[in-house]
Amino acid sequence: MARAMRLFAFALLVAIAASVDRNNFKTCDQSSFCRRLRKVEQDNSKYILNLDTLQVSAHSLEADLLNPDATFKFTLTALAGNTFRLFADEIKPLHKRYKVVGALDGEPKLTKLEVLERTKQEVVIKCGDSKVKLIAEPFKIEFYNKDTVVAVVNARGLFTIEHLRVKPQEQADGNEELPKEDPGAWEENFKSHHDSKPRGPEALAMDVTFPGAIRAYGLPEHADHLALRSTGPGATDPYRLYNLDVFEYELETTMAIYGAVPVLYAHGPENTVGVFWHNSAETWVDISNSKDTNVVSSIVNLVSGKKDENKVDAHFMSESGVLDVFVMLGPKPADVVKQYAALTGVAPLPQYFTFGYHQCRWNYNDEDDVKNVVEKFDEGDFPLDVMWLDIEYTDGKKYFTWDPVKFSHSTVMLNNLTATGRKLVAIIDPHVKRESGYFLHEDALNNDYYVKDKDGKVFEGWCWPGSSSYPDFFDPTVVDYYSNLYSLDKFKGSTENLYIWNDMNEPSVFNGPEITMGKDMVHYGNWEHRHVHNLYGLYYTMVTMKGLQARSPNKRPFILTRAFFAGSQRYAAMWTGDNAAEWSHLAISYPMCLSVALGGISFCGADIGGFFHNPDPELLLRWYQVATWLPFFRAHAHIDTKRREPYLYGSDVQMRIRNALKLRYAHLPMWYTQFWEHSRTGEPVIRPLFYEFPEDSNVLDIDNQVLIGKSVMATAVSQHSASSASVYLPGGSEQLWYDLSDFKSYTGSGYITYPVNLDKIPVFYMGGSIVSRKDRPRRASSLMHDDPYTLYVSLDNNKSATGTLYIDDSESYEYKKKKYLYIRFNYKDNTLTNSFIDQDAKYPTLSWLERVVVLGASNNFRYATLKTPKGEDTILQVSYDSEGRSLIIRKPGVSMREKFTITLH
Amino acid sequence: MMPSIPKLPAKSYVLCILLIVVCEISTSEVPRPRGVPLSHNPLYNPAKDFVCLDNSLSIPFSQVNDDYCDCPDASDEPGTSACIHGTFFCMNVGHTSTYISSSRVNDGICDCCDGTDEYVKGKCANNCQELGQSAMKEAARQSELLKAGKQIRASMCEMGIKLKAEKKDKLVIFAAQKIEAEKIMREKEQIKKNIEELESAALEQYRQIEEENKRIKQEEENKKNRQEAEDTFVRFDSNKDGIVEVSELQSLHTFDRDRNGEVTVEEAKYFLNSKDSMSLEDFVVEAWPAMKPFLMLDEGLYKPPQPAGVGEVEEVPINGEEPTTEAEFEEAADEEGVNEEEDEEDEEHPEEEEEHEETNPEVTYDEETQNLIEKATAARSEFTEADQSVRDIQSEITKIEEYLNKDFGPDEAFAPLEGECFDYMDYEYIYRLCPFDKATQQQKSGSSDTRLGSWSKWSNQNYDAMLYDRGQSCWNGPQRSTTVAISCGSENKLTSVSEPNRCEYHFTFETPAACYKATTEGIKDIHDEL
């Protein structure tokens, strides 16, 4: 008894020391396929490409790929945008191998290739500036940008596809001819869970070397820095991609969390190359960066005068599936990210309000509570667009129902919110309460909608409602059924102003292995959960999207998701899950969102204040200031925390939070325009410095600074009682930066020590940009729709600047019918002009130009003239601030629909 | 319920008349820039340039309300949303005039009841008259409520003061009683002490005699027992070799403990203390004590004290059989043990008393001693009574002192609430507030109370909020606590309960005891602009 007590006490101590319970989650060593693939012998590849079987078509090459035990069909396809697709599958597989469906945004566009050379040992093809050399034995593929090799597949010979086979009979005398297999190859246990592995081992792996690369980025989602660290056997575990509900996740680890995007970017000063590992099974990726291993040899080389070649090695390992890989050859970061977006798609333009402020808590107790919170926001003059309801609004965690007492008048509540221009978001999770009489459960049972266990019985797990089952969203019938639940006649008590939060969609199963579904559960088409695990969350949001579009055909949906995969940007915004009220968690919000944005999902945010525990007022107000510059802007808190709505604090804290919110609201036109452009180009809305300054070797590891498009740069202040922040100003002496708080100008000459107080964090406008703002923040963004614009013209070294502005009705799909304005502003030779990028697009906006603020203008202007095609010239007053840093052109008053020219004199 | 206008106090009449005047003024309104309060109108002269009210800037009057913010103090745009720190004045004729933030001008939401804040879209109706009337009615209702409440409060205060005074009086009486009772107690103590000395001396000789008797009796017992043992030894020693052996015992069915008709070697050995044989001396010391009860049982002379004891004797499993039964026994024993402990506690006092009365009924004392004993017993009982009386008075005093230390608010208005409890029912729980004592929560399905806090203090000097803390701890969380917001009402009523933070409850409680603010509050601010 006493011993048991001591053990218990010890367990408690451990729990306090490290928040996450690492024991719940596998290491590579505890995963049979990761163990097997990491053990593959280097530089001894058994794979041979049989070039005798080579077939060349307009867009692709095809040949047999052999290893001593099996034959595969290998295909190389040339795609538009400097991208190549590698594909390999067994010619006669025992079972079909899973091919990912749902991540790609349609079939990739093909392009023509040209064979340059062909011998028995190698084939070289050309496609634009790129070349690919296929080498037969040992199998290897080299990718060239012009004549520089930028990526080599199977350079280290780790390429492996385990062909499907029948389990060898165990022989009593121990047949020594059979190679000894990994003990988990045919079935595997983790903690108390058993994986029956009915198809046996079916893993695959591929190594890629990126000569000349000095950093690797990507592979979200990890609670880690943006630049990937080196991993390897005996040291750090590989980056793991397996969507998991990790309670109180730890920072700076390669552990898997909620989302997975298997895209990797290898970046060097000359070339940036991407690899998209198109696989939805559990995946581990080892990274080896020569900078981390060359320390000793570089000293030797310093003496000998020899130069080490920079390179990054990556080793992708997946548990199952076909081999399907996209190699994107850039050559610049923006190119390669756009190439990735061309494959998996972009976020469709969200509604304007989605960039406003979202107020969430687990939970607002009832309708009165919601009403009171909104009233307090209004009394305190805190802008607010969206109120959120967590799981407690439901009737006993039965989604698509409302608590019959606390939320019995939900439509009244919704209408009260919309009366002041607000919206409501409610949570809908995939687990279904197994309660007889619950229509969703009854329908799912009667129509066979649930995921099954290996024996064909409905899978039962444990989640918020207790005993739960999980609809199989891979089944098209289930998609139709479930998406229809969002219709107003099905989801009683909802209105068109209700939007949706999809949580727990990894899926989270409290009593499952690693808090998720067992891998031998069975989905539609007889695929095992192992094959499709990382897709479950994406499919779930796809269903929600379909449902909301059917419910409100002319309103753009808003969906927030926790689990995601490559392509999720087409359906939902995401947030970084259950973080904590700690400075370190505030700090990690920028790197995590930057990484996710490079993974195609720009609409990212972190819970303001931190989900677990209670932030002190300083942490909270800093969090608001920092989060102002991430796309998704929501405060959220755990049920056990104290309330922390801004109006609950002292007047100084309130004032600072109010200022952060109002600064955010002033910049909403910028966010909206950025997302419009993202939907057109695929470029991320938030960008790390290396994205815009790829040649600057100083920015490689900077991830506490974020660029919004090409116009704003914010630096997170994530230290208690900070009196200064170190800010890197990139771009060299030619590049100007303007402090947003006082318009003081700087050049891009590297690190500065920027003094901070509690009022602000370092935010700069980039010289050469024009930012459109609405400087009349109101209660809610929808109430600002007709408000006038102020242009902030930040001049570059040549006294010129450019910027864009997108305007439409903020909510509908009318923009698809060309009902919008997409305006370019140019400032050059003391003259500001506008032009319409899509000349056939029109929108009857009531907004007009209120003010132009020119930063970096010379100080001798006396007035300005406004010319419009219709009117006569109008004289406009100009004035300077007391420091002479900004010139203000007073009230041009011209409609944003009109063409104009404003000239300074 | 609602008082009609003629019943309003004279002051309100004046207000009504003034309002009518305002209506007339507004119909033939003095021209003034939009959003400017009448009092500031003279500062906006269209014939002159406008000087920002902070004197920072002079601008042409055409730039007043031109939807562009020129003045740092926002004074040039009283009627538009152009200045972020500006305010807009709603005249709200017929109702209360207000300022709203400039950010609410032309935002599509009707903030002023006269609708003047939404002049671009002009979609707001003027409902100031209705609102003004209902506000007036509400104010009148509040005033009535306050008036009624104040009356009740007055009686509560009276009662509170009376209660306190009564308690104070009682305290004086109890204090006097205590002195008296202590005096008696000390006297009784002295009497008891004196008589007990005599009693003790008298009993001493009897005690010696009694001990001697006991000793003799014990010796006789021992002798008798020895004799019995020797007789038995001789009886068992069938071969008369002066040694009792296992085989000799095996012939005696008395030792067949499992009643299977056969005395096994183990059974026999059990009584010989695991030995094969025994001499007389060993037999007397080692075997006899174990054997005797069985022999007596055989002869029907011995009755085990409890049924459980019989069970044990009869069913001691030799080979550890029937473990289940054993376990059950243990459990039963444990349970009994617990009960015994409790019983012991309960019986503590009576036992102590019995100790004194411990007299040997067999002993007869001489008359003098008997007399002394009776006197001493009486003295002890009188002392106990006197002592208890002091304690009782002290406990009353403590209670009163605690009461007198409680802060029942100005004029002791809240005092009558002490000792009362008020319930509030939501769909799941019954909440109960017992002012100055505790707040509790009980599930409707009827489980036991959860304490949400014990009376701690008034949260502030205004006597409008109470704190009850140190309630039951939440699982994985803090101790529960409750704040009670107090407002004026015509009766004592718990009006709402919420849990804004986990385990932190918020009650609202109406009571006439809180009705002491100025009657005119709420309506006196109407039209301070006039």
Side-chain angles (χ1 to χ4, degrees):
Chain A
M1 190 66 176
R3 188 163 144 259
M5 287 303 292
R6 274 201 299 276
L7 274 173
F8 181 62
F10 176 71
L12 267 179
L13 277 175
V14 171
I16 291 160
S19 47
V20 70
D21 187 356
R22 275 172 172 270
N23 288 327
N24 279 335
F25 305 102
K26 284 186 190 178
T27 59
C28 174
D29 215 36
Q30 289 168 314
S31 159
S32 170
F33 82 88
C34 191
R35 252 187 337 248
R36 301 198 300 271
L37 294 169
R38 252 188 170 185
K39 272 184 201 150
V40 170
E41 194 189 344
Q42 203 165 312
D43 302 325
N44 190 20
S45 182
K46 304 276 197 304
Y47 287 79
I48 298 164
L49 191 65
N50 182 356
L51 288 180
D52 294 341
T53 62
L54 182 75
Q55 289 187 324
V56 181
S57 69
H59 314 285
S60 61
L61 304 181
E62 208 175 273
D64 288 354
L65 178 67
L66 321 165
N67 73 16
D69 305 310
T71 307
F72 306 88
K73 180 65 78 192
F74 171 82
T75 316
L76 171 86
T77 311
L79 301 177
N82 221 4
T83 301
F84 296 91
R85 185 179 196 171
L86 315 180
F87 189 88
D89 194 1
E90 295 180 50
I91 287 178
K92 281 182 196 156
L94 189 61
H95 310 281
K96 268 174 90 173
R97 298 183 75 105
Y98 183 71
K99 263 188 249 181
V100 175
V101 180
L104 296 180
D105 186 24
E107 273 305 301
K109 225 176 120 195
L110 304 176
T111 195
K112 287 214 160 77
L113 58 79
E114 180 192 344
V115 177
L116 291 184
E117 283 174 49
R118 181 176 173 178
T119 67
K120 258 195 141 24
Q121 177 55 22
E122 57 184 51
V123 185
V124 181
I125 61 147
K126 186 177 184 301
C127 199
D129 278 345
S130 303
K131 281 192 297 189
V132 182
K133 186 193 279 182
L134 292 166
I135 297 153
E137 188 177 357
F139 173 54
K140 202 196 276 191
I141 313 171
E142 293 174 349
F143 293 87
Y144 293 81
N145 175 21
K146 301 205 174 90
D147 290 317
T148 311
V149 61
V150 293
V152 183
V153 164
N154 206 27
R156 290 188 289 159
L158 302 175
F159 185 97
T160 305
I161 304 177
E162 293 176 340
H163 65 282
L164 289 151
R165 55 218 141 105
V166 179
K167 189 175 182 179
Q169 291 299 308
E170 280 176 38
Q171 296 183 11
D173 56 354
N175 191 334
E176 284 182 14
E177 281 169 36
L178 281 173
K180 211 177 155 225
E181 286 204 276
D182 186 275
W186 292 91
E187 54 184 322
E188 195 169 357
N189 292 316
F190 179 66
K191 298 186 85 174
S192 61
H193 304 280
H194 179 70
D195 176 5
S196 64
K197 296 197 173 183
R199 297 178 210 211
E202 50 177 324
L204 63 154
M206 185 183 97
D207 69 85
V208 194
T209 293
F210 303 96
I214 48 179
R215 285 296 181 283
Y217 303 102
L219 302 178
E221 180 182 28
H222 295 95
D224 202 2
H225 286 289
L226 179 65
L228 303 182
R229 57 185 77 228
S230 286
T231 63
T236 313
D237 250 15
Y239 283 93
R240 188 180 189 206
L241 294 170
Y242 193 58
N243 294 352
L244 292 173
D245 177 3
V246 181
F247 180 77
E248 297 194 338
Y249 61 75
E250 206 174 288
L251 306 185
E252 306 198 354
T253 86
T254 57
M255 284 172 75
I257 49 175
Y258 316 100
V261 182
V263 66
L264 174 75
Y265 301 104
H267 171 69
E270 312 294 328
N271 285 287
T272 306
V273 179
V275 170
F276 172 38
W277 179 257
H278 190 212
N279 189 302
S280 55
E282 181 186 347
T283 297
W284 299 80
V285 186
D286 262 323
I287 299 291
S288 171
N289 190 330
S290 58
K291 81 171 167 70
D292 299 325
T293 50
N294 279 351
V295 183
V296 178
S297 59
S298 62
I299 295 165
V300 175
N301 294 340
L302 193 70
V303 178
S304 64
K306 207 180 99 190
K307 210 182 153 211
D308 246 329
E309 224 174 84
N310 291 314
K311 69 179 170 95
V312 167
D313 291 309
H315 184 202
F316 292 87
M317 300 167 269
S318 284
E319 187 175 17
S320 63
V322 297
L323 184 115
D324 192 6
V325 186
F326 296 85
V327 180
M328 303 162 288
L329 296 182
K332 290 294 160 200
D335 300 318
V336 70
V337 176
K338 282 193 270 189
Q339 285 154 9
Y340 172 73
L343 297 173
T344 61
V346 297
L349 181 68
Q351 288 197 43
Y352 194 86
F353 83 84
T354 62
F355 303 111
Y357 175 65
H358 300 254
Q359 181 62 43
C360 188
R361 174 178 176 80
W362 177 23
N363 216 95
Y364 289 117
N365 296 336
D366 51 30
E367 288 159 358
D368 280 346
D369 198 358
V370 171
K371 189 166 160 252
N372 288 333
V373 170
V374 175
E375 280 173 6
K376 292 272 173 50
F377 265 82
D378 281 347
E379 281 167 26
D381 193 22
F382 299 104
L384 164 70
D385 262 76
V386 192
M387 285 295 291
W388 287 58
L389 293 177
D390 209 323
I391 51 176
E392 311 295 336
Y393 81 89
T394 58
D395 180 9
K397 316 291 188 301
K398 298 195 288 278
Y399 303 104
F400 302 100
T401 71
W402 302 84
D403 184 296
V405 175
K406 296 172 178 171
F407 291 93
S408 52
H409 308 94
S410 55
T411 40
V412 175
M413 171 180 63
L414 270 151
N415 293 339
N416 281 338
L417 283 168
T418 50
T420 50
R422 273 70 179 240
K423 310 283 191 289
L424 183 72
V425 171
I427 200 166
I428 298 278
D429 290 349
H431 50 261
V432 176
K433 186 176 192 175
R434 296 182 57 86
E435 183 180 283
S436 63
Y438 175 29
F439 77 96
L440 182 45
H441 178 56
E442 299 279 347
D443 286 354
L445 275 187
N446 293 338
N447 299 295
D448 201 19
Y449 290 158
Y450 284 135
V451 175
K452 307 293 189 316
D453 67 14
K454 64 178 168 46
D455 303 316
K457 290 202 291 283
V458 168
F459 166 68
E460 284 183 51
W462 200 262
C463 207
W464 295 127
S467 180
S468 306
S469 286
Y470 294 73
D472 184 3
F473 299 106
F474 296 94
D475 180 344
T477 320
V478 177
V479 171
D480 287 343
Y481 166 79
Y482 199 97
S483 60
N484 190 42
L485 299 180
Y486 288 101
S487 66
L488 295 179
D489 58 328
K490 270 280 182 186
F491 191 176
K492 294 275 190 319
S494 70
T495 75
E496 292 206 302
N497 288 302
L498 176 72
Y499 296 88
I500 300 299
W501 173 16
N502 288 155
D503 195 5
M504 314 296 281
N505 51 341
E506 293 76 23
S508 177
V509 181
F510 292 161
N511 59 341
E514 304 192 84
I515 327 296
T516 192
M517 206 175 265
K519 284 177 171 170
D520 51 5
M521 299 303 113
V522 182
H523 290 275
Y524 177 76
N526 210 26
W527 294 111
E528 290 170 38
H529 188 67
R530 93 182 65 252
H531 301 121
V532 297
H533 173 85
N534 283 345
L535 279 171
Y536 190 86
L538 179 143
Y539 271 66
Y540 190 51
T541 56
M542 188 255 294
V543 171
T544 308
M545 174 76 128
K546 193 176 146 107
L548 292 183
Q549 281 177 330
R551 179 195 79 179
S552 314
N554 200 24
K555 272 207 177 158
R556 299 167 225 157
F558 173 74
I559 302 158
L560 180 73
T561 183
R562 191 170 71 183
F564 56 87
F565 187 65
S568 282
Q569 66 270 19
R570 303 198 302 276
Y571 309 114
M574 57 70 65
W575 93 109
T576 62
D578 299 343
N579 60 358
E582 288 164 26
W583 288 97
S584 57
H585 277 259
L586 169 58
I588 208 77
S589 66
Y590 273 16
M592 285 180 80
C593 278
L594 285 171
S595 179
V596 170
L598 291 179
I601 308 169
S602 274
F603 209 164
C604 172
D607 285 343
I608 295 170
F611 179 65
F612 293 112
H613 316 307
N614 296 304
D616 63 32
E618 186 194 352
L619 174 57
L620 185 70
L621 75 88
R622 275 288 186 240
W623 212 310
Y624 275 95
Q625 290 168 342
V626 169
T628 298
W629 307 104
L630 286 178
F632 181 55
F633 190 45
R634 183 187 75 156
H636 186 30
H638 188 274
I639 196 165
D640 285 344
T641 61
K642 296 221 172 251
R643 295 235 171 176
R644 52 169 93 144
E645 288 69 22
Y647 52 76
L648 295 171
Y649 293 83
S651 59
D652 52 340
V653 176
Q654 285 200 28
M655 180 264 291
R656 289 176 179 119
I657 294 176
R658 187 181 300 113
N659 288 344
L661 290 169
K662 290 191 169 181
L663 191 59
R664 169 74 177 204
Y665 274 66
H667 284 88
L668 291 177
M670 173 194 77
W671 286 109
Y672 197 51
T673 303
Q674 285 295 331
F675 268 84
W676 163 256
E677 293 187 340
H678 163 80
S679 74
R680 306 230 317 181
T681 66
E683 283 207 81
V685 170
I686 48 169
R687 303 166 188 177
L689 296 190
F690 88 86
Y691 185 95
E692 292 293 345
F693 302 93
E695 283 92 16
D696 187 345
S697 62
N698 295 316
V699 304
L700 296 170
D701 294 313
I702 295 176
D703 57 12
N704 64 335
Q705 296 182 216
V706 56
L707 289 161
I708 296 127
K710 284 188 177 75
S711 29
V712 173
M713 181 173 70
T715 302
V717 172
S718 54
Q719 254 149 12
H720 173 57
S721 303
S723 57
S724 70
S726 177
V727 179
Y728 187 83
L729 295 170
S733 56
E734 301 290 296
Q735 177 66 52
L736 293 172
W737 296 95
Y738 299 91
D739 185 333
L740 180 58
S741 66
D742 59 9
F743 302 138
K744 196 177 161 195
S745 71
Y746 296 79
T747 58
S749 48
Y751 279 105
I752 58 164
T753 300
Y754 183 96
V756 295
N757 52 33
L758 289 177
D759 293 331
K760 61 173 182 180
I761 61 166
V763 182
F764 294 86
Y765 284 147
M766 190 168 171
S769 70
I770 298 178
V771 173
S772 302
R773 287 172 44 168
K774 282 190 174 178
D775 279 346
R776 301 182 182 189
R778 301 191 192 251
R779 273 171 282 188
S781 69
S782 58
L783 310 181
M784 298 163 65
H785 184 256
D786 298 336
D787 280 347
Y789 289 89
T790 295
L791 302 184
Y792 285 75
V793 179
S794 304
L795 299 183
D796 66 13
N797 225 19
N798 301 315
K799 299 283 181 204
S800 55
T802 185
T804 50
L805 170 64
Y806 174 79
I807 304 174
D808 66 5
D809 67 10
S810 297
E811 57 184 22
S812 80
Y813 283 115
E814 294 296 305
Y815 73 93
K816 292 194 169 176
K817 299 175 192 157
K818 295 277 176 190
K819 290 200 176 154
Y820 63 86
L821 297 172
Y822 185 25
I823 308 166
R824 174 163 297 285
F825 300 107
N826 275 305
Y827 184 100
K828 207 181 160 191
D829 303 330
N830 308 327
T831 301
L832 175 70
T833 56
N834 67 345
S835 59
F836 296 92
I837 294 171
D838 294 343
Q839 289 187 6
D840 54 344
K842 295 270 182 284
Y843 176 72
T845 180
L846 296 175
S847 296
W848 45 279
L849 186 58
E850 178 174 26
R851 190 187 293 112
V852 178
V853 180
V854 184
L855 309 180
S858 46
N859 56 7
N860 51 357
F861 294 113
R862 287 164 295 123
Y863 66 97
T865 49
L866 167 73
K867 243 196 241 294
T868 61
K870 292 174 203 163
E872 292 173 14
D873 286 13
T874 315
I875 304 284
L876 305 174
Q877 297 175 29
V878 302
S879 59
Y880 290 89
D881 67 40
S882 56
E883 308 277 336
R885 290 169 183 165
S886 65
L887 175 153
I888 297 161
I889 304 174
R890 186 186 188 282
K891 203 185 178 191
V894 61
S895 165
M896 298 310 281
R897 283 173 285 177
E898 298 221 26
K899 261 191 76 64
F900 65 81
T901 304
I902 296 169
T903 310
L904 284 166
H905 303 278
Chain B
M1 186 79 179
M2 298 281 169
S4 57
I5 287 181
K7 283 185 191 165
L8 279 175
K11 235 177 185 176
S12 300
Y13 273 119
V14 178
L15 273 171
C16 285
I17 294 159
L18 284 174
L19 284 175
I20 294 160
V21 176
V22 173
C23 290
E24 280 182 5
I25 289 169
S26 64
T27 48
S28 59
E29 204 178 317
V30 181
R32 60 184 172 98
R34 202 191 295 274
V36 172
L38 288 177
S39 57
H40 285 174
N41 199 26
L43 303 170
Y44 293 82
N45 183 353
K48 292 199 285 192
D49 279 355
F50 177 72
V51 181
C52 302
L53 299 186
D54 65 357
N55 281 319
S56 60
L57 199 69
S58 174
I59 56 171
F61 194 82
S62 61
Q63 285 180 211
V64 170
N65 273 347
D66 72 338
D67 211 5
Y68 185 89
C69 192
D70 293 293
C71 296
D73 69 351
S75 56
D76 65 315
E77 295 295 318
T80 75
S81 61
C83 294
I84 48 172
H85 300 300
T87 53
F88 179 91
F89 179 74
C90 322
M91 183 73 105
N92 290 348
V93 174
H95 190 31
T96 314
S97 298
T98 51
Y99 289 92
I100 60 166
S101 161
S102 290
S103 71
R104 299 190 178 179
V105 174
N106 287 327
D107 67 349
I109 292 163
C110 309
D111 292 284
C112 304
C113 66
D114 62 8
T116 50
D117 58 320
E118 294 300 318
Y119 55 85
V120 168
K121 288 178 183 160
K123 62 168 191 178
C124 297
N126 183 336
N127 53 8
C128 289
Q129 292 297 338
E130 298 152 47
L131 288 175
Q133 271 172 26
S134 57
M136 200 86 83
K137 279 184 189 163
E138 174 61 20
R141 199 186 68 84
Q142 286 293 341
S143 145
E144 281 298 298
L145 190 73
L146 202 56
K147 211 169 123 195
K150 274 182 137 182
Q151 271 177 16
I152 302 171
R153 180 177 186 271
S155 62
M156 289 178 82
C157 293
E158 207 176 300
M159 195 192 289
I161 292 164
K162 202 174 130 207
L163 279 170
K164 266 211 172 161
E166 278 173 15
K167 297 276 184 183
K168 275 184 190 157
D169 289 350
K170 270 193 188 161
L171 192 61
V172 174
I173 294 165
F174 277 127
Q177 282 179 354
K178 191 183 165 196
I179 292 167
E180 185 60 24
E182 278 173 344
K183 205 176 124 201
I184 293 168
M185 189 262 282
R186 277 193 297 277
E187 282 169 17
K188 299 284 181 193
E189 192 174 27
Q190 194 52 51
I191 293 167
K192 176 173 103 78
K193 203 177 151 200
N194 294 347
I195 193 94
E196 276 182 339
E197 271 169 24
L198 294 174
E199 181 203 37
S200 174
L203 285 177
E204 183 54 32
Q205 48 176 313
Y206 282 94
R207 200 168 289 132
Q208 281 170 13
I209 292 165
E210 198 189 326
E211 268 169 27
E212 181 57 20
N213 284 347
K214 261 190 193 166
R215 197 182 53 79
I216 292 164
K217 204 176 162 194
Q218 186 60 45
E219 267 175 23
E220 278 169 6
E221 284 271 312
N222 289 351
K223 225 186 227 173
K224 197 179 151 206
N225 194 35
R226 169 90 193 183
Q227 191 53 50
E228 246 181 282
E230 281 174 13
D231 292 352
T232 310
F233 183 84
V234 171
R235 189 150 56 87
F236 288 175
D237 183 14
S238 45
N239 61 358
K240 306 295 173 200
D241 62 349
I243 287 167
V244 169
E245 288 146 27
V246 167
S247 57
E248 287 166 344
L249 289 192
Q250 274 182 287
S251 61
L252 298 162
H253 76 274
T254 309
F255 300 118
D256 179 13
R257 294 196 311 158
D258 57 3
R259 299 282 184 265
N260 66 351
E262 188 195 352
V263 179
T264 61
V265 175
E266 282 85 6
E267 280 170 332
K269 268 185 155 177
Y270 172 81
F271 291 98
L272 289 184
N273 203 13
S274 301
K275 289 178 182 165
D276 290 332
S277 59
M278 268 188 183
S279 65
L280 175 63
E281 273 315 304
D282 290 346
F283 183 84
V284 170
V285 178
E286 292 178 31
W288 179 243
M291 226 172 249
K292 190 180 174 185
F294 280 83
L295 294 169
M296 286 169 77
L297 198 65
D298 244 22
E299 292 163 29
L301 288 174
Y302 179 76
K303 288 243 174 358
Q306 303 164 41
V310 174
E312 261 170 27
V313 173
E314 283 186 340
E315 292 175 25
V316 169
I318 289 175
N319 298 323
E321 282 169 9
E322 298 180 59
T324 331
T325 332
E326 218 174 338
E328 277 169 10
F329 271 123
E330 272 173 35
E331 268 173 40
D334 281 354
E335 272 170 28
E336 271 172 34
V338 171
N339 289 339
E340 272 165 24
E341 264 173 36
E342 280 174 5
D343 290 348
E344 266 171 28
E345 271 173 23
D346 288 347
E347 287 162 11
E348 207 171 344
H349 294 289
E351 270 176 27
E352 271 175 29
E353 280 166 25
E354 274 167 27
E355 215 178 294
H356 288 285
E357 286 159 26
E358 185 197 305
T359 42
N360 196 331
E362 288 171 31
V363 184
T364 29
Y365 301 105
D366 60 63
E367 200 177 322
E368 197 183 339
T369 310
Q370 188 60 40
N371 206 6
L372 273 176
I373 289 169
E374 275 163 23
K375 274 185 180 167
T377 307
R380 275 192 289 269
S381 131
E382 276 177 36
F383 166 73
T384 309
E385 216 170 277
D387 183 53
Q388 189 55 46
S389 163
V390 172
R391 285 171 201 243
D392 288 349
I393 295 166
Q394 183 51 50
S395 128
E396 287 299 315
I397 289 172
T398 310
K399 266 191 226 161
I400 294 170
E401 278 172 348
E402 269 173 25
Y403 182 89
L404 291 175
N405 281 335
K406 277 182 183 167
D407 179 355
F408 292 118
D411 312 324
E412 313 297 340
F414 291 89
L417 299 178
E418 209 248 10
E420 304 266 327
C421 291
F422 305 94
D423 285 1
Y424 177 85
M425 223 181 281
D426 73 5
Y427 76 111
E428 208 174 343
Y429 297 102
I430 300 165
Y431 293 91
R432 173 166 292 179
L433 174 67
C434 304
F436 306 100
D437 180 13
K438 63 183 177 180
T440 61
Q441 175 197 52
Q442 186 185 20
Q443 211 141 30
K444 271 186 175 170
S445 52
S447 65
S448 61
D449 278 5
T450 303
R451 191 176 276 256
L452 305 183
S454 299
W455 165 248
S456 171
K457 59 179 182 188
W458 291 96
S459 303
N460 57 46
Q461 297 292 314
N462 302 330
Y463 295 97
D464 57 8
M466 291 171 160
L467 176 66
Y468 295 79
D469 57 12
R470 294 155 289 130
Q472 266 164 260
S473 288
C474 279
W475 184 80
N476 229 347
Q479 282 191 309
R480 289 174 174 82
S481 65
T482 302
T483 52
V484 181
I486 306 226
S487 60
C488 164
S490 54
E491 55 178 334
N492 296 316
K493 201 174 166 192
L494 192 55
T495 49
S496 78
V497 172
S498 60
E499 189 185 356
N501 294 304
R502 208 166 148 247
C503 309
E504 288 181 17
Y505 295 83
H506 184 78
F507 288 11
T508 56
F509 182 66
E510 284 181 3
T511 172
C515 301
Y516 60 92
K517 286 174 192 160
T519 341
T520 48
E521 193 183 277
I523 49 170
K524 72 173 179 188
D525 290 340
I526 290 186
H527 271 274
D528 61 345
E529 282 301 324
L530 289 176

